[in-house]
Amino acid sequence: MAITKLWIFLIATCIFTGASGQSVEMDDGRSAFVGSKVDLRCQFINSLPPVKISQVTWQKLVNGSKQNVAIANPSLGVSVAPSYRERVAFKNGAVRRRTPTLEDTTITLSSLRLSDEATYICEYTTFPAGNRENTVNLTVYVQPTTLLSLSTPTLVARSTNLKTPVASCVIANGKPAGTIRWETRAPGEPTTREIRNPDGTFTVESDYILVPSRETHKESLTCVTTYNDEVLSSDSVTLDIQFEPDVYVEGYDGNWYLNREDVQLSCQADANPDVSLYQWRLVNGSIPSSAEVRDNVLSFKGPLTYDLQGTYVCDATNSIGTRSASVEVSILEKPLPQIATGDIVSVVALLLAAGVLLGITITVLVLKIRSRKDGASDESPSKKLPQPIRKRPADDIQHSGGFYEELPNTADYVSYRLACKKEDFTEPYSPPLNPPLSFLPQQPYDSANNIAATHTLPRNTFAPPTHTTTAVFGYPSVPGLASPPPGVTPYTFPKEQYV
């Protein structure tokens, strides 16, 4: 009986606990910047049957231990820990009443500090359900500060090609750490390092390194800082690089001739800082007395003479160093022929017209060639005229696979004789067909008397060459065929030919 009552009590307790469904609702996580404020939500879900809330306690979890932040008690009121008294308050005014309502005990934490970053616990003490609690993680961010400056006040271009930091960009005391990106046309490379500060913030420093030179003078460097995937700042500086003068001489056009007047040489220099001193000198001599020096200009007064020939040198000096440039001056006996401006314009116009005409001609030719190719490719094979088949005379009498020697065309042979005036043209010997022809004339020879009287071999009679090592072919005897008379060469049938 006692065991039965115990089981009934346990079952009732489980049913009551499952039906109550009390819980504490809080956000998964909250974040805010240093100096701002943040709300930490805490709400008690009190399902039927309702329970009595005895107390609500806010705690901070530090290194595994709990520190009280604020307490709300229906009988004792609200209490805040001394370290949070000026910065923590219950957001719902009903909590501070004489008869408080404690279902919503959200607190507001103001003037955030880095040390406020932690896990916070909201715990409800109820009767008879017991304690219910939940947690929220608070993350505190720190907005960093940025600074861009030149690494040194004075940058000097040297001939050593040594890389030097020319600008420095810093994104300091941020949490989380920021990033730095450089934008510039100056050839160089950045070096970046990240430093963790004792208070948990981060400082990122980046230096831009390059070889100072005249080409990089007045180049712009832009530092782009990014924080939390957003561009925080984009600042720029301009490089101020000092270098020796880059000197060149103007004024000599190669047409200085005798008795020409009012000519001068001008010394030009690109320098930083500016040139403070210009000096002229003549190699292997002294500046003529007729020449006047005024700063960077050397003027020649009066008509030119051969005595003014020579190599003139200009030395330009600034605080970094001295550089020189020279020009070889020659005096001509007569001036060089000058081409009028109108002639130059005419020649240029003529060349342009010729180029345009050539381009049009080439374009027309290309289009014609393409049209012909397209016409040939579009022509249907059925429209092409059939080609005559040239049949060889012995095709119908040769056995398949037999040897065949093509005979020369009679017309070609006659044309060759007429063109070359060849009378004694030796016809190449052709062996008889195998098998031999079976149709022969019955009487190839006349009577012996007629043959002896009238028959004379022509000059162009062709006979096969004699072969000592090859058997001579002999035609088989045919009934009724007369033998040639004595002294007459056997009749040789002419080769079958075709035209």
Side-chain angles (χ1 to χ4, degrees):
M1 185 66 178
I3 296 176
T4 303
K5 291 182 179 179
L6 178 61
W7 277 106
I8 293 173
F9 174 78
L10 293 175
I11 293 172
T13 303
C14 293
I15 293 174
F16 176 80
T17 304
S20 62
Q22 284 81 19
S23 63
V24 179
E25 287 189 355
M26 302 182 73
D27 296 325
D28 294 335
R30 295 288 291 168
S31 62
F33 284 94
V34 167
S36 64
K37 65 180 181 179
V38 63
D39 293 336
L40 302 181
R41 187 174 68 89
C42 181
Q43 290 180 333
F44 184 75
I45 306 301
N46 192 2
S47 301
L48 296 176
V51 297
K52 182 180 179 181
I53 300 175
S54 302
Q55 182 172 292
V56 178
T57 304
W58 274 94
Q59 296 174 315
K60 178 182 178 182
L61 187 61
V62 179
N63 297 327
S65 62
K66 298 179 180 180
Q67 298 178 356
N68 288 338
V69 176
I71 298 174
N73 189 286
S75 303
L76 302 177
V78 175
S79 175
V80 179
S83 58
Y84 294 95
R85 188 163 297 168
E86 302 297 331
R87 302 191 298 122
V88 173
F90 285 95
K91 186 176 182 180
N92 189 3
V95 177
R96 299 185 296 271
R97 294 175 184 172
R98 185 178 297 274
T99 305
T101 301
L102 302 180
E103 279 74 15
D104 186 356
T105 55
T106 300
I107 63 173
T108 300
L109 182 58
S110 305
S111 301
L112 282 177
R113 305 169 183 172
L114 279 173
S115 58
D116 292 334
E117 183 173 288
T119 300
Y120 290 85
I121 304 170
C122 181
E123 181 181 13
Y124 276 79
T125 302
T126 66
F127 181 83
N131 294 346
R132 298 286 187 271
E133 68 177 32
N134 204 344
T135 61
V136 60
N137 294 321
L138 175 61
T139 302
V140 179
Y141 294 145
V142 181
Q143 185 85 8
T145 59
T146 60
L147 177 64
L148 174 63
S149 61
L150 294 173
S151 299
T152 57
T154 303
L155 297 170
V156 180
R158 304 295 185 184
S159 59
T160 57
N161 292 331
L162 180 64
K163 291 185 178 181
T164 305
V166 295
S168 177
C169 186
V170 179
I171 178 169
N173 303 323
K175 185 175 179 296
T179 59
I180 295 176
R181 184 180 78 255
W182 290 94
E183 294 180 353
T184 181
R185 296 183 303 175
E189 57 187 13
T191 59
T192 306
R193 55 192 175 277
E194 182 179 296
I195 303 172
R196 183 181 180 89
N197 303 316
D199 59 356
T201 61
F202 297 87
T203 297
V204 180
E205 299 178 353
S206 180
D207 295 330
Y208 198 80
I209 300 176
L210 54 75
V211 178
S213 63
R214 183 173 62 88
E215 290 75 15
T216 55
H217 177 54
K218 293 185 178 181
E219 286 289 346
S220 177
L221 297 176
T222 302
C223 174
V224 181
T225 56
T226 305
Y227 177 75
N228 277 348
D229 298 329
E230 294 183 0
V231 175
L232 187 62
S233 65
S234 179
D235 301 326
S236 301
V237 293
T238 301
L239 297 180
D240 184 14
I241 300 177
Q242 298 182 354
F243 52 91
E244 294 178 341
D246 184 18
V247 189
Y248 58 96
V249 177
E250 293 181 342
Y252 179 67
D253 57 2
N255 192 25
W256 287 19
Y257 50 88
L258 290 175
N259 299 323
R260 182 177 176 178
E261 298 183 353
D262 298 329
V263 295
Q264 64 182 16
L265 298 177
S266 176
C267 185
Q268 303 295 328
D270 180 18
N272 184 35
D274 294 336
V275 175
S276 57
L277 177 63
Y278 288 97
Q279 291 180 316
W280 287 95
R281 53 191 173 91
L282 179 62
V283 177
N284 300 326
S286 58
I287 298 296
S289 58
S290 60
E292 178 183 352
V293 178
R294 181 177 297 177
D295 293 332
N296 63 324
V297 178
L298 177 62
S299 301
F300 296 89
K301 302 298 182 180
L304 296 180
T305 62
Y306 288 120
D307 297 337
L308 302 180
Q309 295 185 128
T311 302
Y312 291 85
V313 180
C314 172
D315 300 325
T317 304
N318 67 353
S319 59
I320 306 301
T322 300
R323 297 286 293 274
S324 303
S326 62
V327 60
E328 180 73 23
V329 174
S330 298
I331 306 300
L332 304 177
E333 181 180 359
K334 296 180 180 180
L336 297 175
Q338 300 295 323
I339 301 178
T341 306
D343 296 339
I344 296 177
V345 174
S346 301
V347 171
V348 172
L350 182 61
L351 292 177
L352 291 177
V356 171
L357 181 60
L358 180 60
I360 294 174
T361 304
I362 293 176
T363 303
V364 172
L365 292 177
V366 171
L367 292 177
K368 286 186 176 181
I369 293 174
R370 287 184 178 179
S371 62
R372 290 179 181 178
K373 289 184 177 180
D374 294 341
S377 60
D378 293 340
E379 184 180 356
S380 175
S382 60
K383 297 180 180 180
K384 295 182 179 180
L385 296 177
Q387 299 294 331
I389 300 176
R390 187 176 182 182
K391 185 178 179 182
R392 293 177 296 186
D395 284 347
D396 52 351
I397 59 175
Q398 290 277 24
H399 290 286
S400 177
F403 175 80
Y404 174 79
E405 180 182 2
E406 186 176 357
L407 299 177
N409 191 304
T410 305
D412 295 341
Y413 172 73
V414 174
S415 300
Y416 173 80
R417 290 184 58 195
L418 295 177
C420 300
K421 298 181 180 180
K422 297 284 186 176
E423 296 297 335
D424 297 327
F425 176 78
T426 305
E427 183 180 7
Y429 172 76
S430 299
L433 299 176
N434 187 21
L437 297 174
S438 58
F439 52 89
L440 297 174
Q442 297 299 319
Q443 296 293 337
Y445 301 104
D446 295 334
S447 62
N449 296 332
N450 294 337
I451 290 175
T454 62
H455 184 70
T456 304
L457 290 176
R459 296 179 59 186
N460 291 333
T461 299
F462 303 104
T466 58
H467 300 278
T468 57
T469 58
T470 304
V472 179
F473 173 77
Y475 287 95
S477 58
V478 180
L481 179 64
S483 299
V488 178
T489 306
Y491 180 82
T492 300
F493 290 94
K495 291 183 180 181
E496 184 178 2
Q497 296 179 349
Y498 64 94
V499 177

